[in-house]
Amino acid sequence: MSDDGWVQLDEPDLESEQTGPVPVVAVVGRPNVGKSTLVNRIIGRRQAVVEDVPGVTRDRIPYDAQWSGRQFTVVDTGGWEPDARDRAAAIAAQAEAAVATADVVLFVVDATVGATDVDEAAVRMLRRSAKPVLLVANKADNSAVEIEATSLWSLGLGEPYPVSALHGRGSGDLLDAILDALPEAPAAAEPGPRGPRRVALVGRPNVGKSSLLNRLAREDRAVVDSVAGTTVDPVDSLVELGGEVWRLVDTAGLRKRVGKASGTEYYASLRTAGAIEAAEVAIVLLDSSEPISEQDQRILSMVIEAGRALVIAFNKWDLVDADRRYYLNKEIERELRRVPWAIKVNVSAKTGRAVDRLAPALRTALEGWETRIPTGQLNQWLTALVQATPHPVRGGRAPRILFATQAGVAPPRFVLFTTGPLDAGYQRFVERKLREEFGFEGSPIEVSVRPRKKVGPGGRGKAHG
């Protein structure tokens, strides 16, 4: 313990790379039992969409997770129901597919309701899969509900794990049980040759995505029409660009938020989101002849939240005159100020103008996306930064940054270990200075803070996860 009442922590080995394939944990259950809330609790951030109505999640959505140094993928699914019809049947099929491809299944039940007929039908489906299943009694927000959760032994899946996904109660025990159930990590395999880099071509309807793909492929790979929304399914093409083969995916133009879309447009939106998740870098195509729109902003947010490298291509540059160029520059300053790190290229899919600049832009963005800073160099820089510009004093004291480490790449993720929470403004200051020093051009970066927990009487302190 240090003299200021905090426990000194050993520096965790966050830089160690896990070898072999990452195991998969599927989260399934009937609608509205809190699966997405549990996924957010497991991954440690609010990324899965949560709403207090059933049916918000409809597809299989994977997220990266880590616990006690072990990495795994957690897959959120829509609500499973027996004898479902129409869209509900497609949602149930996606959940069953997630079970089929998982190493471990978390079956989530509402502890405040108990086992229902739908839960019992789901248990029969899970038994057919022959996969390891952990029974999660969610919404156990207090000890009284925990006691009621013991009735779930009747489902025949063994001991229920009472948790409160909303408040975190019991989540640590569940995560430990997940690690115990995961298969042993295989021995490291010999690295094979890297395949073509995966590029998602995204944008709102009619900005010229299919035209650009056809221009880059030098043939008609995608249907092009002046009617917006021609592309529905992602069009996957191998394209040689700048002396290198790339895998480009032309996606449907997004008009609405996924949750507000319906019918074909809804499923096209899901597939587009999936294409972004599966990509390493995204080309977000904007129509330079029109004002930057809300849809453009939403698509940029999807790419940033997915943690993908980013190139913004302003298409239809052949339609931009001097007046429009002036206003476009103003729009970029105002509307794109949150992504000053994105690489910007002015192109014309129709004439072929500057499309050869896309390959160097993609390479630069991927290089920033995969940059790793050695821990020693990172902390030497950070010490100098904090000495030059210390954290402001709040309440007579200022939190100190003890050390930092880079927890991962693609995108670069940094963890600051501190004696207390940092002001949001100071955290942004550190992120800005990280970019100024080390670059990361074309890539988002994540900076998180892990404050040390004060020691209680007779207790042991630890860092907040």
Side-chain angles (χ1 to χ4, degrees), residues 66-304:
Q66 180 173 303
W67 180 252
S68 295
R70 186 83 189 273
Q71 296 174 357
F72 56 95
T73 297
V74 58
V75 179
D76 192 12
T77 67
W80 185 91
E81 296 177 277
D83 306 320
R85 296 177 179 273
D86 302 324
R87 182 180 296 178
I91 295 170
Q94 288 290 321
E96 292 177 20
V99 170
T101 57
D103 296 293
V104 175
V105 178
L106 301 187
F107 178 49
V108 186
V109 176
D110 187 337
T112 64
V113 174
T116 67
D117 292 343
V118 175
D119 293 326
E120 292 173 356
V123 168
R124 292 192 289 272
M125 178 271 291
L126 292 172
R127 286 204 177 106
R128 290 194 299 269
S129 75
K131 295 296 178 72
V133 178
L134 298 179
L135 176 59
V136 182
N138 191 28
K139 305 185 183 180
D141 297 343
N142 54 58
S143 56
V145 181
E146 275 192 25
I147 294 172
E148 293 176 11
T150 57
S151 66
L152 295 173
W153 277 93
S154 65
L155 289 171
L157 293 177
E159 179 182 1
Y161 288 88
V163 304
S164 171
L166 184 62
H167 303 296
R169 184 185 180 102
S171 58
D173 291 339
L174 175 62
L175 282 160
D176 289 339
I178 291 172
L179 295 194
D180 290 341
L182 290 177
E184 291 295 322
E190 288 295 323
R194 182 198 288 271
R197 308 307 297 262
R198 299 184 301 278
V199 183
L201 191 57
V202 293
R204 59 185 169 88
N206 218 24
V207 294
K209 298 183 297 298
S210 298
S211 297
L212 180 59
L213 176 60
N214 290 340
R215 168 67 64 177
L216 297 176
R218 300 177 183 85
E219 62 178 288
D220 291 341
R221 298 279 184 92
V223 177
V224 176
D225 197 293
S226 59
V227 176
T230 303
T231 302
V232 175
D233 291 301
V235 179
D236 197 342
S237 301
L238 291 176
V239 172
E240 184 176 349
L241 184 62
E244 182 178 352
V245 175
W246 306 79
R247 184 177 296 278
L248 262 66
V249 182
D250 178 23
T251 61
L254 298 186
R255 290 184 180 86
K256 303 176 182 176
R257 298 181 188 276
V258 173
K260 294 183 178 179
S262 59
T264 302
E265 187 175 20
Y266 165 76
Y267 288 106
S269 299
L270 278 184
R271 286 190 283 268
T272 297
I276 292 173
E277 287 286 346
E280 298 169 280
V281 57
I283 299 176
V284 175
L285 210 60
L286 306 183
D287 187 339
S288 57
S289 66
E290 297 181 1
I292 297 173
S293 69
E294 181 186 352
Q295 293 102 312
D296 295 327
Q297 294 281 14
R298 190 155 59 242
I299 292 164
L300 284 168
S301 294
M302 290 175 66
V303 174
I304 296 165

Side-chain angles (χ1 to χ4, degrees), residues 437-451:
E437 179 69 19
F438 300 110
F440 305 110
E441 187 179 4
S443 172
I445 63 174
E446 299 174 11
V447 178
S448 61
V449 176
R450 194 169 296 181

Side-chain angles (χ1 to χ4, degrees), residues 305-358:
E305 289 167 9
R308 299 302 178 255
L310 173 62
V311 173
I312 300 177
F314 291 89
N315 191 30
K316 305 185 183 181
W317 200 254
D318 52 301
L319 303 180
V320 175
D321 57 19
D323 286 343
R324 174 58 193 150
R325 191 171 302 149
Y326 170 82
Y327 288 109
L328 179 59
N329 287 334
K330 296 294 185 184
E331 288 170 23
I332 292 172
E333 291 176 10
R334 182 177 65 251
E335 305 294 343
L336 303 184
R337 59 187 306 174
R338 62 184 175 133
V339 285
W341 45 266
I343 300 173
K344 303 173 184 66
V345 182
N346 303 327
V347 301
S348 171
K350 181 178 180 180
T351 67
R353 178 197 188 278
V355 295
D356 57 340
R357 293 176 53 199
L358 286 172

Side-chain angles (χ1 to χ4, degrees), residues 310-437:
L310 173 62
V311 173
I312 300 177
F314 291 89
N315 191 30
K316 305 185 183 181
W317 200 254
D318 52 301
L319 303 180
V320 175
D321 57 19
D323 286 343
R324 174 58 193 150
R325 191 171 302 149
Y326 170 82
Y327 288 109
L328 179 59
N329 287 334
K330 296 294 185 184
E331 288 170 23
I332 292 172
E333 291 176 10
R334 182 177 65 251
E335 305 294 343
L336 303 184
R337 59 187 306 174
R338 62 184 175 133
V339 285
W341 45 266
I343 300 173
K344 303 173 184 66
V345 182
N346 303 327
V347 301
S348 171
K350 181 178 180 180
T351 67
R353 178 197 188 278
V355 295
D356 57 340
R357 293 176 53 199
L358 286 172
L362 291 170
R363 292 191 188 100
T364 300
L366 285 167
E367 182 180 349
W369 196 59
E370 295 174 334
T371 295
R372 179 177 289 280
I373 310 302
T375 300
Q377 182 182 357
L378 176 65
N379 281 279
Q380 185 177 10
W381 166 81
L382 184 61
T383 298
L385 177 70
V386 172
Q387 287 177 348
T389 312
H391 190 286
V393 175
R394 297 287 186 263
R397 302 186 66 178
R400 294 182 292 111
I401 301 177
L402 303 174
F403 60 88
T405 189
Q406 184 169 353
V409 296
R413 300 184 301 277
F414 298 91
V415 181
L416 306 180
F417 293 85
T418 68
T419 59
L422 301 183
D423 286 356
Y426 195 78
Q427 191 170 332
R428 289 192 297 269
F429 164 75
V430 173
E431 178 179 341
R432 186 174 71 252
K433 291 298 183 180
L434 263 173
R435 288 191 177 279
E436 291 177 6
E437 179 69 19

